[in-house]
Amino acid sequence: MHVASNSNHVQATAEEDIAHVYTMRISRLTIDKLGIKLYDRVAAVLAELIANSYDADAENVTVTLPWGAFLYDPKAPNLSAAYEITISDDGHGMTPAEINRHYLTVGADRRTRTGSDKSREKNRPVMGRKGIGKLAPFGICKTVEVISSGGEETSNGYLTSHLILHLPDMLADTEKDYNPQIGELDGTWSKSHGTIIKLRDFTRKRVPSRDELNRQLAARFGLERSDWRVRVRNASSLSEEFTLGQLKIDLMEGTRIDLSDRPVPFESSFLPVTGYVAYSEKSYKDANMAGVRIYARGKFVAQTMDFGIATGFHGEFKLRSSIVGELHAEWLDEDEDLIRSDRQDIIWSSDLGEALSTWGQNLMRELAKRNEEHARRAKTRFFMKSSKLEERLVEAAPSDPVYRDSVKEAAALLVRDADNDSLRDPEHVERISKLAMSLGPHRSLLQTLREVADTTETTIDAVMDLFHKAHIAEMYSLGQVAAERLEVVAKLEALIADGNTLERPLQELIEQAPWLLAPEWTPLGMNESLKRVRSHFEAWYFKEFGKVITTTAIDRKAKEPDFVLLHDSGILWIVEIKRLGYKLTDAEFLNAMNYLHSLSKFLDENEELGQQFPYRKLTFVVDHIDRLNAVSLSSLESDRRVSRKTWPEVLDSTKRAHKDFLQRVEATAGGWTPVAPEAAPQVIAPRTPDPSETGQGQLEF
């Protein structure tokens, strides 16, 4: 057992080492309260002794004890007497003078006494502080033997100290100093430095099994160093051992929050922290794995399930049953001592403790929200698998990815608040599937469903009531949809007829009605995803190239967009829009190609976003390309990602497509029956034209 000393403050004299009497000056009550009462678990005792080895600059520590055994069994006293726990290390050790000045002085602040909070040789931030960890073994045993070799190396080696402490003698009702028993090796010499601690005469304490012990010890240390290794061996079979490592916890995908960029606000500054919080895949009954473990200087100092957040918040039960994580905050154990004497919790009522608590509670709310989103995604995946909706949509609408995506979005909104049992009911799953396919083609219905999903639980009954109140018959009016489209076409025709139209109104119109570029293309969902991609890409581009770019003509009226960024099913589309009669230059062509390359690089580096948009395209809407050189023209013609349309072509293709659209509206009008608002709402899907009727195999409104 070590209490490392600073050579500038402590110089053991030859006289002290030769003529020494080991003496402990301590209140008997202190031994009882700080040793026996605070440390009553084997793992907690071992953690204190291992931490002392770390502070003594040990590189290798070996712990030997009987795994899974009761250290004392009144029915088998002879077997119990044979048990021993040994902790040995190769640290700098202690001379007799150092043992008297440091090890046998209980309760003095180690860092004040030595004048440093770093270890003697390796400059490690020491874990020990209060000087009471040496009493920890008496929480489980009555006899502690210390053999330590240290000091300056001589021709004989290192001077050895050997003493034996007996708890009954230490607790004797006397005011006299306690003098530990001197061991037979005391005053001898050792070829190597280091310390051996032996524990014997145990109380009725159980040593955990291998896996339990590994978890309990790993939970108490949050450090990894190349010059630090702890081996734990089974005394009953020395070939059985494990090396102490990090605590392994299975985290729920998508819930981990990294803490390195989330400092704790305190007064006018920020306090750094590292680590993570997340949800576990399962609820852990093992207290060492549940909750957020808090470390200072690599050693466990506290554990919390919620940072003291008040009850009543959404996701409360899941949070408290599945939260896991580790938080490292060195400032908890620096200038101001914020750690309880037993090192099992911090002083939350302190100013810094309250700041950490407030910060942690905000973190808990964010984590609860993340879990809610993850749970909803999991429900959607389960529903899609059980309903086989994806396969059914591909079969029903193989050439209409937009319709398929809108149906899947509707399904996700409908199941987000469903209970798990209902999603295992085939009839209920089929009911949701049909409702989603009915909702899919209708923009206004889907938007209304999005809105209600943000304010209430989206049960099917709630959805039906919503449709009733929203006059579903009116929302199903295909004529109204057609009129809206034709109004946009007329506006485009007027802009082109004007002849002097600038880029801004054309950009805004394309953003509001992207189907003008491809009449069958009607993105109904992923608006939030597109906004997120835009903001993240613009921030990434500025960081990468130091240039501010704008990708929308609608959201930022004061800025001229560099290009318009649109989306289709699985496609992100850069649209470079030029005014009527404009001639594209090589510099503009190359600049747009660089934007396409940058967008692809950004999506490849951000896997979550990149998976949503595996295809990236560039379209020029420009009337003339006769200024382009041969290289640019060749790239325009050969690169499948790049295309070009003139404004007359955009108008012509749109008008022709919507002539067919009007005919489909008229043909479909007889295929469904409006539902009166007063009637019980029944969602009736519009008749889907046979592909042979349209020749395109596309599902339309």
Side-chain angles (χ1 to χ4, degrees), residues 80-143:
S80 302
Y83 283 140
E84 184 175 85
I85 295 177
T86 303
I87 301 92
S88 62
D89 68 50
D90 57 1
H92 54 58
M94 295 176 286
T95 66
E98 288 174 333
I99 282 188
N100 264 329
R101 294 190 181 196
H102 306 300
Y103 182 76
L104 295 180
T105 300
V106 177
D109 189 314
R110 177 201 191 285
R111 301 169 201 175
T112 302
R113 188 177 70 249
T114 64
S116 174
D117 65 349
K118 299 294 177 63
S119 65
R120 181 188 300 177
E121 297 168 4
K122 293 183 177 293
N123 208 38
R124 293 171 175 171
V126 296
M127 296 178 180
R129 179 167 191 160
K130 294 181 173 65
I132 63 172
K134 59 180 70 68
L135 298 177
F138 294 112
I140 64 171
C141 73
K142 298 182 178 69
T143 300

Side-chain angles (χ1 to χ4, degrees), residues 449 452 456-468:
L449 184 58
V452 76
T456 185
E457 289 190 356
T458 49
T459 62
I460 288 188
D461 289 340
V463 173
M464 291 300 189
D465 183 58
L466 166 75
F467 293 163
H468 179 83

Side-chain angles (χ1 to χ4, degrees), residues 278-511:
Y279 279 96
S280 59
E281 281 288 357
K282 58 183 178 180
S283 296
Y284 286 108
K285 295 181 180 179
D286 189 335
N288 296 286
M289 305 180 77
V292 179
R293 291 163 284 116
I294 303 176
Y295 299 90
R297 296 172 174 261
K299 190 178 180 184
F300 176 91
V301 296
Q303 188 167 17
T304 178
M305 298 304 295
D306 54 19
F307 289 90
I309 191 172
T311 60
F313 61 93
H314 192 65
E316 174 184 354
F317 174 77
K318 182 67 175 179
L319 177 74
R320 292 197 168 98
S321 63
S322 300
I323 185 176
V324 292
E326 60 180 60
L327 185 155
H328 299 261
E330 304 305 290
W331 42 270
L332 287 172
D333 196 14
E334 288 183 341
D335 298 335
E336 183 181 355
D337 188 1
L338 301 172
I339 301 172
R340 264 182 15 192
S341 295
D342 59 357
R343 297 190 71 87
Q344 301 303 301
D345 206 350
I346 64 176
I347 302 173
W348 293 99
S349 59
S350 64
D351 291 342
L352 286 171
E354 289 180 355
L356 180 60
S357 178
T358 300
W359 171 88
Q361 290 174 23
N362 291 330
L363 192 66
M364 294 302 95
R365 294 185 183 93
E366 180 179 346
L367 186 62
K369 185 176 180 180
R370 283 201 181 192
N371 177 67
E372 184 180 349
E373 293 170 353
H374 175 81
R376 286 171 175 172
R377 289 195 296 270
K379 285 181 183 179
T380 300
R381 289 194 297 270
F382 181 83
F383 169 80
M384 293 298 294
K385 182 177 180 180
S386 61
S387 66
K388 296 183 171 56
L389 186 59
E390 183 80 54
E391 296 89 330
R392 293 164 66 177
L393 288 172
V394 170
E395 182 179 352
S399 303
D400 198 341
V402 174
Y403 169 75
R404 297 199 302 270
D405 283 351
S406 64
V407 170
K408 287 185 286 185
E409 183 189 358
L413 291 170
L414 289 168
V415 304
R416 55 180 278 168
D417 296 311
D419 62 89
N420 293 330
D421 289 339
S422 68
L423 294 181
R424 293 184 176 89
D425 180 355
E427 291 185 5
H428 188 76
V429 168
E430 181 62 19
R431 189 181 179 198
I432 293 176
S433 299
K434 289 182 177 179
L435 182 56
M437 286 188 283
S438 298
L439 287 170
H442 301 281
R443 182 191 303 273
S444 55
L445 278 176
L446 196 54
Q447 179 58 37
T448 306
L449 184 58
R450 292 191 199 107
E451 293 171 359
V452 76
D454 292 332
T455 59
T456 185
E457 289 190 356
T458 49
T459 62
I460 288 188
D461 289 340
V463 173
M464 291 300 189
D465 183 58
L466 166 75
F467 293 163
H468 179 83
K469 294 176 181 177
H471 303 290
I472 195 171
E474 180 180 351
M475 300 173 90
Y476 260 27
S477 173
L478 298 183
Q480 182 180 359
V481 175
E484 290 174 357
R485 282 207 170 191
L486 291 179
E487 183 180 348
V488 172
V489 174
K491 185 174 182 179
L492 174 62
E493 189 169 22
L495 290 174
I496 292 177
D498 180 87
N500 295 314
T501 302
L502 299 178
E503 291 174 13
R504 168 69 73 166
L506 294 169
Q507 290 166 333
E508 292 183 355
L509 189 63
I510 291 296
E511 271 198 85

